[in-house]
Amino acid sequence: MKPPRKLHIKSYGCQMNVYDAQRMVDTLAGEGFVETASVDDADLVILNTCHIREKASEKVYSELGRLRVVKDDAARQGRELKIAVAGCVAQAEGEEIIRRAPTVDVVVGPQSYHHLPQLLARAKSEGRALETEFSVEDKFGFLAPPKPDAIRARGISAFVTVQEGCDKFCTFCVVPYTRGTEVSRPVAKIVDDVMRLADHGVREVTLIGQNVNAYHGEGPDGQSWPLGKLLSRLAEISGIVRLRYSTSHPLDVDDSLIEAHRDVPALMPFVHLPVQSGSDRILAAMNRKHTAADYRKAIDRFRKARQDIAFSSDFIVGFPGETEEDFLATLALVTQIGYAGAYSFKYSPRPGTPAAEMRETVSAEDMDERLVRLQGLIDSQQSAFNMAAIGKSVDVLFERPARNPGQIVGRTAYLQPTHVMAPADIIGQVLPVRIASLERYSLLGELAAPPHALAMRPVSSHITHGA
Ligand code: 5AD
Ligand code: SF4
C-alpha cells in the first residue's frame, strides 16, 4: 500500500476560511492525503488566503518566498512538494500569482475547492493549474463530508456554511468580488450536515456566511426559509445544545430571527452585528444602507426578545472623509450600545472597490490615534462585561482539557473561555459554573455541584421546539 501523502494547510482570515480549510482536507482525504502540522514533511502545502484588509497579498508573497526554500530542500532530498494558493487572494490575483511566484503549482478560488483533485492532476501533467471561475454548479454538493474520525478530532464545536457571498457592496469591501453574489444552501442539506456532526459528538454549531442573516435557502416545503426558521429546525436535532450564527447585517434582521432568539433556548444570546461607523454621513459613504438609528432599533428588537442578549461588532476607523466629528459619533454609539467585545480596524483601500477611488484620505496619525481611542473604549466595555460574571453561576459548554493539568476549558454563552478543575468526562456537557475570578480574558470557577452529582444530569439539557 502507498504511504499517505501529507497535506499542510495554513489559513488566514475569517471563520469561513477555517471551514473551507476543513472541507479541503476532507476532499483531499479521498485522494489519500492526511493532515500534517508541519510544512517540513508535507507533500502539499495550501495557503488559504484572506484579502479583506491590508497587506494580505504581500504576506502571501513573503510566505511563498519561504516555501520556495522548503520546496528546493525537499527536491534535493528527492521529494516533491506541491504548493497551492487558495482563498480570496487567489480569487482576486490568480494570474498575478502565477506570474510572480513560479514556485506555485495550483491557484484555486473559493468556488472551486471541489475541483482540487483534478487541479492537482492537471498541475502534474501540465506543470501548473489555475481555476478562479465562479462555477455554476453547487460546490457544496461535491465537497466531501467529513469522516467520523475527522469530526471527533475537531472537537465538540463545529462551523457549517449555510450561505456564501454578499450582494450588499459596501464601498470598502472586497467580499462581493472575491466570494461572489449571495447563495444559500437548501435546508435539507444543512440538516443532514448538522445531524452527521451531532452523531459524532458535536454539541455546538455555528452557522456561517458572509451575510448569514440574508439566508433564504429552499425548505423541504419548497418555500424560501429565513435564518430564524432554519435555526428553529436545527434546534430539534438531538445532541445539538448550542446554536450560533455569524456574520450578520443590520438590514437583514427580520422577525424570524428575533422570534428565534425569543423561542429557541439553544440559540445563544450573543450576536455579532457589525455597524462599522456611528456616523450617518460615513455610513452613507460606505453604502451600508442604514443609519445609526436603524442599527440601534435592530439592537432594541433583540433586547426586547431576550433580556440577557449581548453584542459584538466590527468598526472601521479612518474611512475616507471621516472627520473627528464622525469619529465622535462612533464613540457615542459604542457608549450607547455597550458591547461585550468588538473588533476595530484601520481602513485599508482594497483595489477594485469604490472607496479605493475616494480621495479624501485620513492621515495615518489620525487613524492610529482614533484606533487607540476606540479600542480603549471597547476594552473597558469588554472588561466590565467579563467582570460582571464574577460571583454568578453561568452555563458552560466544556470543550477540551486546558493546558494546566486537571483543568477543563469551556465557553459561556458569550464565548468567554472558562476554566474549572474537573474530570475530563464533563467534555461535551453544559454545566453551571460558579465564577470566582477573571484572569486576562479567561474566567476561573468551580462546578456549581460536585461532578458525581452532575454526572447524573442528561447530556442534552436543551428543550426542543417545532419548526
Ligand atoms: N478596511 C478595513 N477593514 C475592513 N473590513 C472589511 N473591509 C475592510 C477594509 N477595506 C472589516 C469590516 C468587516 C470585517 C470583517 O473587516 O469591519 O466587518
Ligand atoms: Fe462586505 Fe459585509 Fe458589506 Fe457584504 S455586508 S459588502 S461582506 S462588509
Side-chain angles (χ1 to χ4, degrees):
M1 221 174 79
K2 272 208 306 195
R5 288 181 290 171
K6 292 192 178 163
L7 159 68
H8 177 81
I9 298 201
K10 189 162 181 182
S11 257
Y12 303 83
C14 65
Q15 289 169 341
M16 181 73 84
N17 265 9
V18 175
Y19 175 88
D20 282 348
Q22 292 177 351
R23 291 290 76 74
M24 287 191 258
V25 170
D26 296 334
T27 295
L28 291 168
E31 302 293 305
F33 280 97
V34 295
E35 224 180 333
T36 171
S38 143
V39 290
D40 295 322
D41 65 346
D43 301 291
L44 170 63
V45 174
I46 301 179
L47 294 185
N48 190 17
T49 61
C50 170
H51 203 228
I52 197 123
R53 282 179 298 273
E54 217 174 0
K55 298 193 185 108
S57 52
E58 285 316 309
K59 256 196 239 160
V60 174
Y61 289 112
S62 54
E63 186 66 38
L64 286 172
R66 281 190 289 277
L67 283 175
R68 196 189 56 208
V69 178
V70 182
K71 187 173 182 165
D72 291 346
D73 282 350
R76 272 193 291 277
Q77 293 161 20
R79 284 195 310 114
E80 193 180 35
L81 170 61
K82 293 277 183 208
I83 296 174
V85 180
C88 293
V89 177
Q91 185 65 42
E93 299 186 10
E95 302 281 354
E96 170 94 3
I97 294 170
I98 290 285
R99 207 170 37 247
R100 265 181 71 177
T103 193
V104 171
D105 301 286
V106 171
V107 172
V108 57
Q111 306 309 323
S112 307
Y113 295 154
H114 54 304
H115 290 155
L116 258 170
Q118 294 91 305
L119 288 167
L120 285 169
R122 218 165 80 207
K124 203 175 167 111
S125 60
E126 294 170 23
R128 310 177 84 185
L130 165 109
E131 187 174 313
T132 52
E133 302 301 311
F134 287 109
S135 61
V136 284
E137 67 211 17
D138 166 22
K139 74 168 174 185
F140 292 103
F142 294 89
L143 283 167
K147 298 236 160 60
D149 284 354
I151 297 175
R152 279 191 286 271
R154 287 170 194 160
I156 57 133
S157 184
F159 297 131
V160 172
T161 294
V162 299
Q163 172 286 335
E164 203 175 347
C166 182
D167 295 341
K168 291 284 186 295
F169 289 92
C170 299
T171 53
F172 54 81
C173 186
V174 285
V175 166
Y177 310 96
T178 57
R179 293 278 174 166
T181 55
E182 218 219 286
V183 180
S184 294
R185 297 179 64 206
V187 172
K189 297 228 164 118
I190 298 163
V191 169
D192 277 356
D193 282 0
V194 175
M195 279 166 103
R196 181 179 313 104
L197 292 169
D199 278 351
H200 299 292
V202 168
R203 295 289 165 261
E204 174 180 75
V205 168
T206 304
L207 306 184
I208 53 173
Q210 271 89 26
N211 197 176
V212 73
N213 62 330
Y215 177 82
H216 58 273
E218 189 188 344
D221 52 5
Q223 305 285 311
S224 159
W225 280 31
L227 184 66
K229 196 164 175 185
L230 173 67
L231 286 161
S232 304
R233 170 68 189 90
L234 297 178
E236 291 173 359
I237 294 173
S238 172
I240 297 301
V241 296
R242 286 187 169 182
L243 289 168
R244 306 178 182 278
Y245 56 91
S246 188
T247 288
S248 299
H249 191 286
L251 264 191
D252 294 318
V253 174
D254 66 359
D255 291 345
S256 91
L257 192 58
I258 300 293
E259 282 158 18
H261 276 284
R262 189 191 61 202
D263 299 337
V264 180
L267 180 55
M268 290 295 98
F270 189 36
V271 177
H272 184 61
L273 196 63
V275 63
Q276 316 297 355
S277 168
S279 154
D280 287 345
R281 219 175 58 81
I282 296 297
L283 287 170
M286 287 176 164
N287 190 32
R288 290 287 295 178
K289 305 185 181 86
H290 64 79
T291 61
D294 296 333
Y295 181 81
R296 281 193 297 269
K297 265 186 230 146
I299 295 272
D300 287 346
R301 288 170 73 202
F302 281 109
R303 285 192 165 140
K304 247 201 206 128
R306 179 122 191 200
Q307 263 184 345
D308 60 350
I309 205 158
F311 297 92
S312 61
S313 187
D314 292 340
F315 294 91
I316 295 177
V317 299
F319 185 81
E322 185 189 68
T323 61
E324 174 66 14
E325 198 187 339
D326 294 317
F327 178 66
L328 289 175
T330 299
L331 293 183
L333 183 71
V334 173
T335 304
Q336 264 173 1
I337 304 283
Y339 288 100
Y343 302 95
S344 40
F345 310 103
K346 286 190 271 187
Y347 168 70
S348 140
R350 304 285 74 211
T353 59
E357 309 295 315
M358 297 179 185
R359 262 175 287 146
E360 270 182 282
T361 54
V362 173
S363 73
E365 298 79 58
D366 283 348
M367 273 204 220
D368 287 339
E369 194 251 352
R370 286 177 195 168
L371 191 69
V372 168
R373 282 155 75 197
L374 177 58
Q375 285 181 342
L377 178 59
I378 291 166
D379 283 352
S380 68
Q381 293 190 340
Q382 184 168 11
S383 301
F385 185 83
N386 288 338
M387 291 291 284
I390 296 175
K392 289 199 184 127
S393 173
V394 300
D395 277 354
V396 173
L397 171 58
F398 287 98
E399 291 183 357
R400 59 189 159 80
R403 231 174 280 147
N404 288 348
Q407 266 191 351
I408 307 294
V409 62
R411 288 183 188 268
T412 67
Y414 310 104
L415 292 176
Q416 296 150 298
T418 307
H419 291 72
V420 299
M421 292 299 287
D425 60 7
I426 65 165
I427 290 170
Q429 295 190 48
V430 178
L431 299 171
V433 173
R434 182 151 295 280
I435 304 300
S437 61
L438 172 70
E439 223 167 76
R440 289 175 61 85
Y441 294 103
S442 272
L443 299 172
L444 298 181
E446 285 182 359
L447 293 179
H452 64 269
L454 294 165
M456 307 303 287
R457 287 165 58 106
V459 170
S460 162
S461 56
H462 74 297
I463 305 160
T464 55
H465 276 254

